[in-house]
Amino acid sequence: MSIPNAPGTVLEKQEVQIKPPPLYLVVLLNDDYTPMEFVIVVLQKFFNMGREKAMQVMLKVHREGRGVCGLFPRDIAATKVEQVCGFARQYQHPLQCVMEEA
Ligand code: TYC
């Protein structure tokens, strides 16, 4: 065992690369059956959007097939996905929500 900081010891600066935690996009996918109004409610309830913003995002998903609901740390993104999927199942809608690394 070496003696820490013994006389004559040269301390080298350690190069520590600290990366910020990865962020994840929560993405809503289009389908043909979930009512538009239900999607608006989901965006308001789980992503704190006002009605106008929720309407815009819902229409984007409807027209383009997918749309971003928000950007979150991994655990928060995973919770949002679970909440949205659980809520949709509760009402028997096929709405799909996924997360992907940004
Ligand atoms: N395409 C659906 C309809 O016409 C509406 C919809 C929008 C469904 C967004 C899912 O993520 C979605 N009723």
Side-chain angles (χ1 to χ4, degrees):
M1 237 208 320
S2 63
I3 305 158
N5 300 354
T9 303
V10 177
L11 296 180
E12 280 181 26
K13 202 171 121 201
Q14 248 189 330
E15 292 295 332
V16 183
Q17 285 289 0
I18 300 173
K19 278 198 264 168
L23 292 174
Y24 290 78
L25 293 165
V26 174
V27 176
L28 213 50
L29 305 179
N30 189 35
D31 67 74
D32 292 338
Y33 304 103
T34 304
M36 290 183 172
E37 184 58 34
F38 185 83
V39 179
I40 293 171
V41 169
V42 163
L43 291 166
Q44 291 181 292
K45 183 176 170 71
F46 297 109
F47 300 96
N48 304 316
M49 293 183 195
R51 195 171 166 87
E52 281 305 312
K53 177 70 183 169
M55 180 100 78
Q56 282 173 17
V57 173
M58 182 280 293
L59 284 174
K60 184 178 171 69
V61 178
H62 177 68
R63 291 176 182 142
E64 298 176 19
R66 51 180 274 145
V68 173
C69 306
L71 184 64
F72 306 96
R74 185 172 56 208
D75 289 2
I76 310 264
T79 301
K80 299 277 181 200
V81 168
E82 286 306 310
Q83 287 175 327
V84 171
C85 292
F87 189 63
R89 289 321 148 256
Q90 196 179 323
Y91 288 89
Q92 300 183 332
H93 295 311
L95 182 64
Q96 284 194 69
C97 183
V98 296
M99 61 191 269
E100 50 188 55
E101 197 169 342

XYZ file of all heavy atoms in Angstrom:
823
model
N 0.849 -1.206 0.000
C 0.000 0.000 0.000
C 0.883 1.255 0.000
O 1.841 1.348 0.762
C -0.891 -0.012 1.251
C -2.343 0.060 0.854
S -3.446 0.802 2.015
C -2.960 0.258 3.605
N 0.575 2.209 -0.815
C 1.371 3.435 -0.843
C 0.798 4.425 0.174
O -0.367 4.345 0.562
C 1.338 4.032 -2.243
O 0.013 4.394 -2.549
N 1.675 5.320 0.592
C 1.230 6.335 1.561
C 0.653 7.508 0.769
O 1.327 8.067 -0.090
C 2.427 6.823 2.414
C 3.104 5.611 3.074
C 1.973 7.840 3.434
C 4.536 5.892 3.468
N -0.601 7.863 1.032
C -1.186 8.969 0.257
C -0.425 10.268 0.508
O -0.102 10.588 1.656
C -2.625 9.061 0.764
C -2.781 8.063 1.845
C -1.489 7.359 2.070
N -0.169 10.955 -0.552
C 0.496 12.263 -0.500
C 1.820 12.232 0.278
O 2.158 13.175 0.987
C -0.410 13.335 0.119
C -1.687 13.513 -0.696
O -1.821 12.913 -1.765
N -2.589 14.331 -0.207
N 2.539 11.122 0.164
C 3.848 11.036 0.821
C 4.771 12.099 0.244
O 4.594 12.504 -0.904
C 4.431 9.655 0.584
N 5.754 12.581 1.020
C 6.658 13.612 0.497
C 7.284 13.144 -0.812
O 7.684 11.989 -0.941
C 7.719 13.738 1.597
C 7.105 13.149 2.812
C 6.087 12.156 2.366
N 7.335 14.007 -1.752
C 7.913 13.652 -3.040
C 6.905 13.090 -4.019
O 7.201 12.916 -5.191
N 5.682 12.820 -3.550
C 4.642 12.303 -4.452
C 4.175 13.431 -5.367
O 3.937 14.555 -4.910
C 3.420 11.801 -3.652
O 3.868 10.806 -2.745
C 2.347 11.221 -4.561
N 4.079 13.118 -6.630
C 3.550 14.114 -7.570
C 2.080 13.801 -7.812
O 1.741 12.699 -8.227
C 4.335 14.099 -8.900
C 3.739 15.089 -9.883
C 5.806 14.390 -8.646
N 1.231 14.738 -7.478
C -0.202 14.524 -7.719
C -0.547 14.991 -9.122
O -0.315 16.140 -9.475
C -1.032 15.300 -6.693
C -0.876 14.858 -5.232
C -1.754 15.726 -4.342
C -1.238 13.392 -5.063
N -1.060 14.081 -9.897
C -1.472 14.467 -11.254
C -2.948 14.812 -11.253
O -3.749 14.158 -10.603
C -1.223 13.306 -12.223
C 0.234 13.229 -12.643
C 0.478 12.106 -13.623
O -0.480 11.733 -14.326
O 1.617 11.619 -13.671
N -3.264 15.829 -12.017
C -4.668 16.216 -12.134
C -5.410 15.100 -12.874
O -4.944 14.621 -13.906
C -4.770 17.521 -12.928
C -6.041 18.280 -12.677
C -5.985 19.654 -13.314
C -7.125 19.796 -14.309
N -6.908 20.834 -15.291
N -6.511 14.670 -12.303
C -7.293 13.630 -12.971
C -8.248 14.279 -13.966
O -8.950 15.233 -13.633
C -8.108 12.866 -11.936
C -7.646 11.440 -11.775
C -8.621 10.666 -10.917
O -9.264 11.235 -10.036
N -8.733 9.401 -11.179
N -8.216 13.759 -15.183
C -9.144 14.271 -16.194
C -10.468 13.500 -16.059
O -10.574 12.354 -16.444
C -8.568 14.065 -17.594
C -7.343 14.928 -17.891
C -7.644 16.418 -17.909
O -8.792 16.799 -18.225
O -6.723 17.201 -17.606
N -11.434 14.122 -15.445
C -12.732 13.460 -15.274
C -13.719 14.083 -16.261
O -13.930 15.296 -16.235
C -13.254 13.611 -13.832
C -14.569 12.853 -13.662
C -12.231 13.120 -12.840
N -14.240 13.240 -17.109
C -15.221 13.737 -18.082
C -16.616 13.579 -17.490
O -17.120 12.472 -17.351
C -15.146 12.925 -19.378
C -13.942 13.252 -20.234
C -14.024 14.629 -20.896
O -15.014 15.349 -20.713
N -13.002 14.999 -21.641
N -17.202 14.666 -17.102
C -18.561 14.577 -16.554
C -19.553 14.933 -17.657
O -19.578 16.069 -18.126
C -18.737 15.501 -15.340
C -17.740 15.095 -14.259
C -20.170 15.417 -14.814
C -17.691 16.017 -13.080
N -20.305 13.931 -18.050
C -21.300 14.174 -19.099
C -22.634 14.508 -18.445
O -22.999 13.885 -17.449
C -21.477 12.921 -19.957
C -20.415 12.791 -21.033
C -20.873 11.820 -22.114
C -20.319 10.438 -21.843
N -20.893 9.393 -22.632
N -23.378 15.450 -19.002
C -24.723 15.689 -18.461
C -25.592 14.464 -18.742
O -25.369 13.760 -19.728
C -25.217 16.902 -19.260
C -24.391 16.937 -20.484
C -23.076 16.289 -20.152
N -26.565 14.167 -17.878
C -27.401 12.985 -18.114
C -28.145 13.117 -19.442
O -28.548 14.231 -19.810
C -28.382 12.989 -16.936
C -28.308 14.344 -16.363
C -26.978 14.937 -16.715
N -28.304 12.003 -20.174
C -28.992 12.098 -21.463
C -30.449 12.494 -21.290
O -31.078 12.142 -20.289
C -28.885 10.681 -22.033
C -28.632 9.806 -20.871
C -27.912 10.623 -19.850
N -30.963 13.209 -22.261
C -32.374 13.605 -22.230
C -33.137 12.780 -23.265
O -32.560 12.348 -24.263
C -32.504 15.100 -22.523
C -31.950 16.015 -21.432
C -31.996 17.467 -21.882
C -32.704 15.842 -20.116
N -34.397 12.597 -22.989
C -35.243 11.766 -23.855
C -36.456 12.553 -24.334
O -37.065 13.307 -23.569
C -35.711 10.525 -23.091
C -34.586 9.563 -22.839
C -33.662 9.807 -21.820
C -34.402 8.448 -23.642
C -32.589 8.954 -21.604
C -33.330 7.590 -23.435
C -32.435 7.847 -22.415
O -31.375 7.004 -22.208
N -36.766 12.335 -25.610
C -37.984 12.918 -26.177
C -39.150 11.978 -25.873
O -39.010 10.757 -26.027
C -37.857 13.026 -27.694
C -36.824 14.003 -28.236
C -36.568 13.721 -29.710
C -37.304 15.434 -28.045
N -40.253 12.533 -25.446
C -41.481 11.742 -25.356
C -42.299 12.076 -26.605
O -42.565 13.253 -26.893
C -42.266 12.041 -24.059
C -43.611 11.319 -24.064
C -41.447 11.614 -22.849
N -42.616 11.038 -27.355
C -43.233 11.206 -28.683
C -44.590 10.505 -28.711
O -44.715 9.362 -28.259
C -42.306 10.593 -29.763
C -42.945 10.664 -31.148
C -40.948 11.298 -29.756
N -45.561 11.204 -29.252
C -46.905 10.638 -29.418
C -47.047 10.162 -30.864
O -46.593 10.861 -31.796
C -47.919 11.755 -29.117
C -49.249 11.408 -28.471
C -49.096 10.537 -27.240
C -49.986 12.692 -28.122
N -47.653 8.991 -31.051
C -47.815 8.436 -32.403
C -49.281 8.509 -32.832
O -50.187 8.396 -32.005
C -47.336 6.982 -32.426
C -45.898 6.742 -31.934
C -45.571 5.260 -31.993
C -44.889 7.561 -32.731
N -49.469 8.657 -34.129
C -50.842 8.716 -34.652
C -51.460 7.323 -34.761
O -50.740 6.323 -34.853
C -50.841 9.369 -36.033
C -52.253 9.660 -36.514
O -53.124 10.002 -35.719
N -52.488 9.510 -37.802
N -52.763 7.268 -34.692
C -53.522 6.060 -35.041
C -54.861 6.545 -35.573
O -55.155 7.733 -35.555
C -53.693 5.148 -33.802
C -54.571 5.782 -32.748
O -55.804 5.849 -32.933
O -54.034 6.262 -31.724
N -55.658 5.609 -36.091
C -56.911 6.002 -36.753
C -58.112 6.048 -35.816
O -59.205 6.420 -36.241
C -57.228 5.022 -37.894
C -56.223 5.147 -39.027
O -55.574 6.208 -39.127
O -56.082 4.179 -39.799
N -57.938 5.637 -34.555
C -59.111 5.417 -33.695
C -59.227 6.328 -32.480
O -60.336 6.598 -32.011
C -59.130 3.959 -33.223
C -59.110 3.001 -34.393
C -57.938 2.327 -34.743
C -60.254 2.811 -35.165
C -57.915 1.465 -35.840
C -60.241 1.955 -36.255
C -59.061 1.279 -36.590
O -59.048 0.446 -37.666
N -58.085 6.747 -31.926
C -58.162 7.588 -30.713
C -58.814 8.931 -31.081
O -58.381 9.590 -32.031
C -56.750 7.830 -30.133
O -56.130 6.564 -29.886
C -56.823 8.618 -28.836
N -59.843 9.330 -30.357
C -60.494 10.617 -30.676
C -59.544 11.801 -30.464
O -58.736 11.805 -29.532
C -61.660 10.684 -29.681
C -61.867 9.286 -29.197
C -60.514 8.631 -29.253
N -59.657 12.784 -31.342
C -58.808 13.982 -31.248
C -58.941 14.642 -29.878
O -57.959 15.086 -29.293
C -59.183 14.978 -32.347
C -58.795 14.511 -33.732
S -59.197 15.757 -34.955
C -58.431 15.046 -36.405
N -60.170 14.696 -29.371
C -60.398 15.360 -28.090
C -59.656 14.643 -26.962
O -59.120 15.295 -26.056
C -61.917 15.403 -27.797
C -62.293 16.147 -26.531
C -61.818 17.604 -26.497
O -61.782 18.263 -27.567
O -61.474 18.076 -25.389
N -59.595 13.322 -27.044
C -58.881 12.556 -26.013
C -57.389 12.910 -26.027
O -56.766 13.065 -24.967
C -59.079 11.052 -26.249
C -58.479 10.193 -25.164
C -59.176 9.956 -23.988
C -57.202 9.651 -25.305
C -58.627 9.178 -22.973
C -56.642 8.867 -24.298
C -57.354 8.634 -23.128
N -56.816 13.041 -27.212
C -55.387 13.371 -27.328
C -55.116 14.772 -26.752
O -54.121 14.991 -26.062
C -54.915 13.276 -28.802
C -53.440 13.648 -28.921
C -55.161 11.876 -29.349
N -56.032 15.688 -27.018
C -55.891 17.048 -26.461
C -55.890 16.985 -24.932
O -55.048 17.620 -24.274
C -57.017 17.974 -26.990
C -56.839 18.193 -28.490
C -57.031 19.306 -26.237
C -58.009 18.898 -29.162
N -56.782 16.201 -24.364
C -56.858 16.053 -22.900
C -55.554 15.458 -22.357
O -55.018 15.927 -21.345
C -58.082 15.187 -22.492
C -58.022 14.804 -21.020
C -59.374 15.928 -22.805
N -55.013 14.450 -23.043
C -53.750 13.821 -22.624
C -52.622 14.863 -22.586
O -51.850 14.935 -21.618
C -53.376 12.663 -23.596
C -51.913 12.269 -23.452
C -54.275 11.463 -23.337
N -52.534 15.666 -23.623
C -51.451 16.665 -23.696
C -51.601 17.727 -22.606
O -50.611 18.199 -22.044
C -51.414 17.292 -25.090
C -50.962 16.318 -26.193
C -51.272 16.877 -27.584
C -49.461 16.014 -26.068
N -52.834 18.067 -22.281
C -53.074 19.049 -21.213
C -52.769 18.443 -19.845
O -52.135 19.075 -19.004
C -54.529 19.521 -21.258
C -54.848 20.374 -22.473
C -56.289 20.838 -22.483
O -57.219 20.034 -22.643
N -56.497 22.117 -22.304
N -53.219 17.191 -19.657
C -53.140 16.550 -18.343
C -51.709 16.123 -17.978
O -51.268 16.335 -16.858
C -54.060 15.320 -18.363
C -54.192 14.546 -17.065
C -55.223 13.421 -17.267
C -55.268 12.445 -16.114
N -55.847 12.998 -14.891
N -50.977 15.558 -18.936
C -49.668 14.985 -18.605
C -48.490 15.854 -19.031
O -47.357 15.622 -18.598
C -49.538 13.591 -19.217
C -50.535 12.610 -18.663
C -51.592 12.155 -19.440
C -50.446 12.168 -17.345
C -52.529 11.263 -18.930
C -51.376 11.280 -16.822
C -52.418 10.830 -17.609
N -48.739 16.826 -19.911
C -47.632 17.659 -20.377
C -47.875 19.141 -20.117
O -47.164 20.000 -20.658
C -47.363 17.380 -21.861
C -46.991 15.938 -22.106
C -47.956 15.022 -22.503
C -45.708 15.492 -21.881
C -47.638 13.673 -22.693
C -45.362 14.152 -22.068
C -46.332 13.241 -22.477
N -48.876 19.411 -19.299
C -49.159 20.780 -18.846
C -49.297 21.782 -19.988
O -48.876 22.942 -19.857
C -48.079 21.261 -17.861
C -47.940 20.322 -16.680
O -48.946 19.877 -16.115
N -46.718 19.994 -16.320
N -49.845 21.349 -21.107
C -50.047 22.286 -22.228
C -51.390 22.987 -22.080
O -52.359 22.400 -21.579
C -50.040 21.530 -23.563
C -48.702 20.936 -23.917
S -48.766 20.148 -25.547
C -47.263 19.169 -25.471
N -51.428 24.222 -22.542
C -52.710 24.922 -22.658
C -53.474 24.304 -23.822
O -52.896 23.552 -24.632
N -54.773 24.635 -23.925
C -55.608 23.990 -24.954
C -55.113 24.274 -26.380
O -55.108 23.388 -27.229
C -57.070 24.429 -24.789
C -57.978 23.520 -25.569
C -59.446 23.681 -25.347
N -60.122 22.967 -26.419
C -60.418 21.668 -26.367
N -60.143 20.964 -25.306
N -60.994 21.068 -27.394
N -54.685 25.501 -26.628
C -54.222 25.869 -27.981
C -52.989 25.065 -28.387
O -52.919 24.529 -29.499
C -53.906 27.370 -28.047
C -55.129 28.244 -28.200
C -55.997 27.863 -29.410
O -55.448 27.693 -30.508
O -57.219 27.713 -29.222
N -52.019 25.000 -27.471
C -50.776 24.259 -27.745
C -51.085 22.768 -27.927
O -50.566 22.116 -28.845
C -49.794 24.472 -26.575
C -48.500 23.706 -26.686
C -47.608 24.236 -27.796
C -46.343 23.407 -27.934
N -45.600 23.744 -29.156
N -51.961 22.235 -27.062
C -52.336 20.817 -27.135
C -53.000 20.514 -28.487
O -52.726 19.483 -29.102
C -53.261 20.466 -25.982
N -53.818 21.429 -28.930
C -54.499 21.284 -30.236
C -53.469 21.252 -31.372
O -53.549 20.408 -32.271
C -55.446 22.472 -30.424
C -56.207 22.446 -31.717
S -57.855 21.844 -31.445
C -58.624 23.290 -30.748
N -52.492 22.165 -31.319
C -51.440 22.224 -32.359
C -50.652 20.921 -32.413
O -50.399 20.389 -33.491
C -50.451 23.355 -32.054
C -50.942 24.748 -32.399
C -49.972 25.818 -31.899
O -48.818 25.531 -31.585
N -50.456 27.054 -31.824
N -50.249 20.418 -31.240
C -49.437 19.193 -31.194
C -50.272 18.006 -31.686
O -49.796 17.182 -32.479
C -48.877 18.947 -29.773
C -48.173 17.599 -29.687
C -47.915 20.065 -29.375
N -51.532 17.935 -31.250
C -52.403 16.840 -31.685
C -52.545 16.837 -33.210
O -52.439 15.789 -33.864
C -53.779 16.979 -31.007
C -54.769 15.882 -31.337
S -55.576 16.106 -32.931
C -56.546 17.583 -32.637
N -52.756 18.039 -33.790
C -52.931 18.129 -35.252
C -51.643 17.764 -35.990
O -51.689 17.141 -37.053
C -53.401 19.537 -35.654
C -54.877 19.818 -35.361
C -55.219 21.268 -35.662
C -55.797 18.876 -36.156
N -50.510 18.126 -35.400
C -49.220 17.760 -36.008
C -49.081 16.228 -36.050
O -48.694 15.657 -37.073
C -48.064 18.389 -35.215
C -46.701 18.150 -35.832
C -45.597 18.822 -35.033
C -44.222 18.410 -35.512
N -43.879 18.918 -36.837
N -49.416 15.578 -34.928
C -49.342 14.109 -34.876
C -50.313 13.510 -35.893
O -49.969 12.585 -36.645
C -49.662 13.587 -33.457
C -49.617 12.061 -33.437
C -48.693 14.152 -32.436
N -51.513 14.049 -35.938
C -52.551 13.553 -36.857
C -52.083 13.652 -38.311
O -52.292 12.737 -39.112
C -53.824 14.366 -36.633
C -54.951 14.012 -37.551
N -55.602 12.803 -37.490
C -55.531 14.721 -38.573
C -56.545 12.780 -38.436
N -56.521 13.927 -39.102
N -51.421 14.763 -38.656
C -51.023 15.002 -40.057
C -49.698 14.369 -40.417
O -49.503 13.913 -41.544
C -50.928 16.516 -40.313
C -52.283 17.193 -40.298
C -52.168 18.697 -40.457
N -53.478 19.325 -40.389
C -53.714 20.493 -39.802
N -52.732 21.160 -39.226
N -54.933 20.980 -39.779
N -48.768 14.342 -39.454
C -47.396 13.922 -39.788
C -47.033 12.545 -39.220
O -45.963 12.028 -39.492
C -46.400 14.978 -39.298
C -46.617 16.331 -39.984
C -45.711 17.435 -39.446
O -44.683 17.127 -38.818
O -46.061 18.612 -39.652
N -47.920 11.991 -38.387
C -47.680 10.636 -37.879
C -47.047 10.578 -36.503
O -47.148 9.568 -35.809
N -46.380 11.647 -36.114
C -45.760 11.684 -34.780
C -45.510 13.133 -34.371
O -45.456 14.033 -35.216
C -44.449 10.902 -34.748
C -43.491 11.276 -35.866
C -42.213 10.482 -35.785
N -41.282 11.145 -34.879
C -40.438 10.511 -34.074
N -40.397 9.218 -34.051
N -39.624 11.195 -33.297
N -45.353 13.335 -33.070
C -45.100 14.679 -32.572
C -44.487 14.619 -31.187
O -44.766 13.705 -30.405
N -43.618 15.598 -30.904
C -42.906 15.637 -29.632
C -43.774 16.312 -28.564
O -44.311 17.399 -28.772
C -41.571 16.396 -29.798
C -40.893 16.603 -28.456
C -40.651 15.633 -30.755
N -43.882 15.623 -27.413
C -44.638 16.176 -26.280
C -43.724 16.908 -25.316
O -44.167 17.767 -24.550
C -45.316 15.066 -25.498
S -46.336 14.007 -26.488
N -42.440 16.516 -25.272
C -41.511 17.167 -24.358
C -40.182 16.450 -24.292
O -40.014 15.369 -24.866
N -39.237 17.072 -23.595
C -37.868 16.566 -23.443
C -37.591 16.450 -21.940
O -37.727 17.437 -21.208
C -36.911 17.577 -24.088
C -35.441 17.255 -24.157
C -35.187 16.043 -25.031
C -34.665 18.455 -24.701
N -37.206 15.242 -21.472
C -37.100 14.993 -20.029
C -35.929 14.084 -19.711
O -35.509 13.286 -20.557
C -38.375 14.295 -19.529
C -39.657 14.995 -19.871
C -40.393 14.618 -20.991
C -40.123 16.029 -19.086
C -41.582 15.266 -21.309
C -41.314 16.681 -19.394
C -42.040 16.297 -20.510
N -35.442 14.110 -18.460
C -34.503 13.076 -18.000
C -35.182 11.697 -18.098
O -36.414 11.621 -18.103
C -34.238 13.443 -16.533
C -34.653 14.866 -16.398
C -35.737 15.097 -17.415
N -34.359 10.631 -18.132
C -34.887 9.292 -18.441
C -36.067 8.859 -17.572
O -37.088 8.391 -18.086
C -33.771 8.254 -18.353
C -34.242 6.874 -18.793
C -33.118 5.888 -18.898
N -32.403 5.807 -17.635
C -31.116 5.490 -17.536
N -30.418 5.275 -18.617
N -30.539 5.430 -16.358
N -35.931 8.990 -16.249
C -36.983 8.494 -15.349
C -38.300 9.238 -15.539
O -39.376 8.652 -15.479
C -36.554 8.629 -13.880
C -35.464 7.634 -13.538
O -35.033 6.882 -14.432
O -35.034 7.617 -12.372
N -38.187 10.543 -15.756
C -39.405 11.354 -15.945
C -40.065 10.958 -17.269
O -41.287 10.782 -17.338
C -39.085 12.868 -15.967
C -38.230 13.264 -14.770
C -40.355 13.700 -16.110
C -38.927 13.803 -13.577
N -39.247 10.807 -18.319
C -39.781 10.420 -19.635
C -40.487 9.066 -19.531
O -41.602 8.892 -20.046
C -38.662 10.362 -20.670
N -39.852 8.106 -18.823
C -40.439 6.765 -18.685
C -41.772 6.842 -17.940
O -42.744 6.154 -18.301
C -39.469 5.844 -17.956
N -41.827 7.678 -16.910
C -43.076 7.843 -16.149
C -44.181 8.433 -17.028
O -45.325 7.979 -16.993
C -42.836 8.743 -14.917
O -41.831 8.140 -14.114
C -44.095 8.918 -14.099
N -43.822 9.428 -17.842
C -44.824 10.054 -18.741
C -45.388 9.007 -19.698
O -46.605 8.951 -19.914
C -44.191 11.193 -19.562
C -43.639 12.336 -18.749
C -44.704 13.332 -18.365
C -44.125 14.478 -17.558
N -45.144 15.188 -16.782
N -44.494 8.192 -20.271
C -44.926 7.156 -21.211
C -45.897 6.193 -20.517
O -46.966 5.870 -21.053
C -43.712 6.399 -21.799
C -44.147 5.142 -22.539
C -42.908 7.316 -22.721
N -45.538 5.751 -19.305
C -46.409 4.842 -18.540
C -47.759 5.484 -18.253
O -48.807 4.842 -18.383
C -45.740 4.464 -17.202
C -44.601 3.476 -17.344
C -45.005 2.224 -18.102
O -46.044 1.633 -17.746
O -44.322 1.869 -19.069
N -47.729 6.735 -17.846
C -48.973 7.435 -17.499
C -49.886 7.557 -18.717
O -51.088 7.286 -18.628
C -48.664 8.832 -16.945
C -48.088 8.803 -15.537
C -47.682 10.201 -15.066
O -47.256 11.042 -15.873
N -47.811 10.440 -13.783
N -49.307 7.960 -19.853
C -50.119 8.157 -21.058
C -50.679 6.818 -21.543
O -51.881 6.712 -21.842
C -49.288 8.839 -22.182
C -50.052 8.847 -23.501
C -48.922 10.262 -21.775
N -49.830 5.793 -21.594
C -50.289 4.475 -22.062
C -51.354 3.913 -21.122
O -52.373 3.379 -21.575
C -49.109 3.502 -22.194
S -47.977 3.968 -23.522
N -51.139 4.060 -19.823
C -52.105 3.567 -18.839
C -53.444 4.272 -18.972
O -54.511 3.629 -18.945
N -53.393 5.579 -19.140
C -54.617 6.385 -19.275
C -55.374 5.981 -20.546
O -56.600 5.827 -20.532
C -54.226 7.865 -19.294
C -55.363 8.834 -19.220
C -56.190 8.900 -18.111
C -55.606 9.719 -20.277
C -57.244 9.809 -18.043
C -56.652 10.639 -20.215
C -57.466 10.682 -19.107
N -54.636 5.805 -21.640
C -55.258 5.412 -22.914
C -55.911 4.030 -22.784
O -57.045 3.829 -23.236
C -54.220 5.420 -24.035
N -55.210 3.072 -22.141
C -55.770 1.708 -21.972
C -57.039 1.763 -21.142
O -58.010 1.053 -21.411
C -54.771 0.768 -21.285
C -53.545 0.314 -22.048
C -53.769 -0.003 -23.524
N -52.539 0.323 -24.246
C -52.382 1.409 -25.001
N -53.374 2.260 -25.189
N -51.236 1.639 -25.594
N -57.001 2.599 -20.112
C -58.170 2.744 -19.225
C -59.428 3.097 -20.023
O -60.515 2.652 -19.704
C -57.838 3.851 -18.227
C -58.683 3.944 -16.992
C -58.182 5.105 -16.109
O -56.984 5.362 -16.014
N -59.119 5.810 -15.493
N -59.235 3.893 -21.082
C -60.375 4.296 -21.918
C -60.446 3.475 -23.211
O -61.192 3.819 -24.127
C -60.310 5.800 -22.201
C -60.635 6.612 -20.964
C -59.625 6.984 -20.066
C -61.960 6.955 -20.665
C -59.922 7.697 -18.906
C -62.258 7.669 -19.512
C -61.233 8.041 -18.644
O -61.547 8.742 -17.502
N -59.628 2.441 -23.278
C -59.614 1.515 -24.421
C -59.329 2.193 -25.750
O -59.927 1.852 -26.775
C -60.915 0.716 -24.449
C -61.060 -0.080 -23.155
C -62.302 -0.955 -23.124
O -63.297 -0.645 -23.751
N -62.226 -2.033 -22.398
N -58.401 3.147 -25.710
C -57.929 3.775 -26.952
C -56.542 3.206 -27.276
O -55.757 2.934 -26.359
C -57.839 5.287 -26.793
C -59.173 5.936 -26.580
N -60.269 5.668 -27.374
C -59.595 6.842 -25.651
C -61.300 6.376 -26.950
N -60.925 7.097 -25.906
N -56.214 3.067 -28.554
C -54.930 2.459 -28.936
C -53.756 3.452 -28.968
O -52.690 3.115 -29.489
C -55.226 1.919 -30.342
C -56.253 2.847 -30.890
C -57.086 3.305 -29.724
N -53.965 4.626 -28.422
C -52.937 5.677 -28.445
C -51.573 5.138 -27.985
O -51.474 4.484 -26.953
C -53.375 6.809 -27.511
C -52.454 8.020 -27.428
C -52.375 8.730 -28.778
C -52.958 8.988 -26.356
N -50.543 5.457 -28.751
C -49.185 5.011 -28.405
C -48.275 6.198 -28.128
O -48.301 7.209 -28.835
C -48.588 4.211 -29.556
C -49.142 2.812 -29.658
C -48.272 1.982 -30.566
O -47.135 1.671 -30.222
N -48.791 1.662 -31.730
N -47.454 6.007 -27.098
C -46.524 7.039 -26.676
C -45.190 6.338 -26.411
O -45.158 5.289 -25.761
C -47.077 7.659 -25.395
S -46.129 9.011 -24.735
N -44.103 6.892 -26.940
C -42.781 6.252 -26.790
C -41.748 7.307 -26.374
O -41.990 8.508 -26.485
C -42.333 5.595 -28.123
C -43.272 4.462 -28.521
C -42.222 6.623 -29.243
N -40.601 6.803 -25.891
C -39.497 7.734 -25.593
C -38.299 7.352 -26.443
O -38.109 6.196 -26.804
C -39.141 7.702 -24.109
C -38.676 6.385 -23.575
S -38.580 6.391 -21.764
C -36.884 6.917 -21.549
N -37.498 8.369 -26.810
C -36.282 8.090 -27.569
C -35.187 9.062 -27.154
O -35.486 10.218 -26.824
C -36.563 8.150 -29.074
C -37.288 9.367 -29.542
C -37.705 9.243 -31.016
O -38.393 8.258 -31.362
O -37.354 10.126 -31.804
N -33.953 8.580 -27.145
C -32.849 9.432 -26.707
C -32.703 10.616 -27.658
O -32.778 10.444 -28.876
C -31.545 8.632 -26.627
C -30.509 9.366 -25.801
C -29.289 8.514 -25.471
O -29.369 7.273 -25.570
O -28.272 9.125 -25.120
N -32.551 11.795 -27.097
C -32.493 13.011 -27.928
C -31.150 13.137 -28.633
O -30.156 12.606 -28.162
C -32.755 14.242 -27.078
N -55.867 10.301 -36.065
C -56.822 10.402 -34.973
C -58.213 10.631 -35.520
O -58.370 10.951 -36.674
C -56.452 11.514 -34.004
C -55.145 11.285 -33.290
C -54.258 12.333 -33.150
C -54.842 10.041 -32.774
C -53.049 12.158 -32.472
C -53.626 9.835 -32.100
O -51.581 10.723 -31.278
C -52.742 10.898 -31.952
N -59.224 10.484 -34.676
